[in-house]
Amino acid sequence: MTNLAIAANGLRKSYPDKNAGKNGGKGGGKVVLDGIDLAVPEGTIFSLLGPNGAGKTTTVQILSTLTPADGGTVQVAGHDLAREPDDVRGAIGVTGQYSAVDKLLTGEENLLLMADLKHLTRTDGKRKAARLLERFDLADAARKPAATYSGGMQRRLDLAMTLVGDPRLIFLDEPTTGLDPRSRRTMWQIVRELVAGGVTIFLTTQYLEEADELADRIALLDHGRLIAEGTADELKRLIPGGHILLKFADPDRLDAARHLLGAGIPDPEALTLQVPGDGSVRAIRELLTLLDEHSIDIDDMSVHTPDLDDVFLTLTGRHDQQKETIR
């Protein structure tokens, strides 16, 4: 049985309504999380996506002990969040959207400060700082003020500071915001190496490409509820628009395939047939078997599925329409 780094059931959170009692308004609060369930296996990357205001930051704040939940049960790194918050804090690391780096200190001094906060001995702290500076390619800049670092270097230092305490679970809240493509990919590689070493990553990001590239599983949060969860490929198959593009050697084979399948959009000039499909292995196998049974050869085939941008926009838009219907 797979061990879970995070197990949350019925997680709820509301904040007081600032307009309650004004202009005849009734009491009550704004529901931010409306009973969400999470199961994050150890040693994986779990990405939480959602529009602004969906509840992503609140979820991270609750799971990292920064904000209490109003309801639900939560286990983080094997500890009960409500009864053992200190044990949870000892097992996790948090790298927020806004860097915790002290720019007046050098990179080495930032790491040594974290070592002091983690109660490491001076010798162990220096050894740990040296290892992390080397690991994150910051050794040459170790004694320069962090204010002189590029954005990518500061984010790497920020993550290195999180690792001083050897956390088993790291919350990364939009870790590559503002980074150039090269720095972003460097961070991706660091994240992969951490997971390969057994660390669990809980990732929130505005870059859907980032979730697609890194996450083992993705959950989509909207209006405080999880509206979809699965692998990137599973989520892409939830919405229409996927197709299999078949290319033929001549018009006769194209026409034969079109009549056999009874569906698809032909392109006589390109000798292709665009067949609706979710791109699953089963759908592809069935299609190829059918063509083979009728001796219709294809020259080439490609699978096209919606990307996570399509998933995000379609599912959150659909969710809004459903809510309006319910009202």
Side-chain angles (χ1 to χ4, degrees):
M1 183 176 179
T2 303
N3 293 326
L4 295 179
I6 299 173
N9 294 288
L11 194 59
R12 295 181 177 277
K13 182 67 179 180
S14 299
Y15 290 108
D17 187 347
K18 295 180 181 179
N19 295 318
K22 295 181 181 180
N23 301 321
K26 297 181 180 180
K30 174 178 173 58
V31 177
V32 181
L33 297 177
D34 193 10
I36 70 170
D37 301 332
L38 294 171
V40 181
E42 291 181 351
T44 64
I45 302 175
F46 183 93
S47 183
L48 187 64
L49 304 179
N52 290 334
K56 302 187 302 297
T57 298
T58 299
T59 301
V60 171
Q61 289 176 339
I62 291 173
L63 296 177
S64 59
T65 77
L66 297 176
T67 299
D70 294 337
T73 59
V74 185
Q75 293 270 331
V76 176
H79 302 289
D80 185 277
L81 187 67
R83 296 198 304 265
E84 304 169 294
D86 289 339
D87 292 322
V88 171
R89 294 185 194 108
I92 68 172
V94 180
T95 299
Q97 180 179 356
Y98 302 103
S99 174
V101 171
D102 188 328
K103 296 182 181 180
L104 298 179
L105 301 180
T106 67
E108 182 180 45
E109 288 169 343
N110 269 283
L111 291 170
L112 292 175
L113 176 60
M114 288 301 299
D116 287 341
L117 293 174
K118 293 294 183 179
H119 306 295
L120 299 183
T121 66
R122 184 164 295 274
T123 299
D124 288 343
K126 286 184 176 180
R127 187 181 300 116
K128 173 75 77 171
R131 273 204 311 267
L132 288 170
L133 287 165
E134 189 68 33
R135 180 179 182 182
F136 285 83
D137 196 22
L138 295 169
D140 290 343
R143 297 187 178 180
K144 296 179 181 179
T148 66
Y149 288 14
S150 67
M153 292 171 67
Q154 289 186 22
R155 293 306 281 169
R156 296 204 304 275
L157 177 59
D158 199 15
L159 184 52
M161 291 166 62
T162 300
L163 294 179
V164 169
D166 293 320
R168 294 156 49 195
L169 167 64
I170 298 177
F171 293 93
L172 294 181
D173 188 11
E174 301 188 21
T176 62
T177 296
L179 297 188
D180 61 75
R182 177 176 295 178
S183 296
R184 184 174 300 133
R185 290 187 178 277
T186 298
M187 284 293 292
W188 290 357
Q189 184 58 36
I190 291 171
V191 168
R192 291 190 186 99
E193 291 171 357
L194 289 171
V195 175
V199 174
T200 305
I201 301 292
F202 190 100
L203 171 72
T204 67
T205 178
Q206 293 290 345
Y207 299 112
L208 301 188
E209 177 197 7
E210 187 161 84
D212 198 354
E213 182 76 24
L214 293 176
D216 297 294
R217 290 189 69 79
I218 299 168
L220 185 56
L221 184 68
D222 195 22
H223 295 91
R225 293 187 177 186
L226 291 180
I227 60 173
E229 182 178 345
T231 66
D233 287 341
E234 288 170 346
L235 292 180
K236 291 170 188 177
R237 289 199 291 267
L238 290 178
I239 65 173
H243 65 270
I244 301 167
L245 190 67
L246 304 174
K247 184 173 178 61
F248 300 89
D250 55 63
D252 291 340
R253 288 186 175 89
L254 171 59
D255 290 339
R258 182 179 61 176
H259 287 102
L260 172 65
L261 300 176
I265 302 173
D267 184 338
E269 293 186 3
L271 295 177
T272 60
L273 181 64
Q274 180 177 307
V275 183
D278 61 10
S280 65
V281 173
R282 179 179 178 180
I284 295 171
R285 184 187 297 118
E286 290 176 350
L287 175 61
L288 294 179
T289 299
L290 182 60
L291 292 171
D292 187 58
E293 288 175 347
H294 289 77
S295 301
I296 302 175
D297 296 328
I298 62 172
D299 266 14
D300 195 13
M301 181 192 74
S302 57
V303 178
H304 301 259
T305 58
D307 60 21
L308 281 184
D309 282 11
D310 298 319
V311 174
F312 183 90
L313 294 171
T314 300
L315 293 184
T316 56
R318 182 183 302 162
H319 187 57
D320 285 340
Q321 292 168 5
Q322 288 174 343
K323 289 189 68 175
E324 290 299 327
T325 301
I326 293 172
R327 288 177 184 173

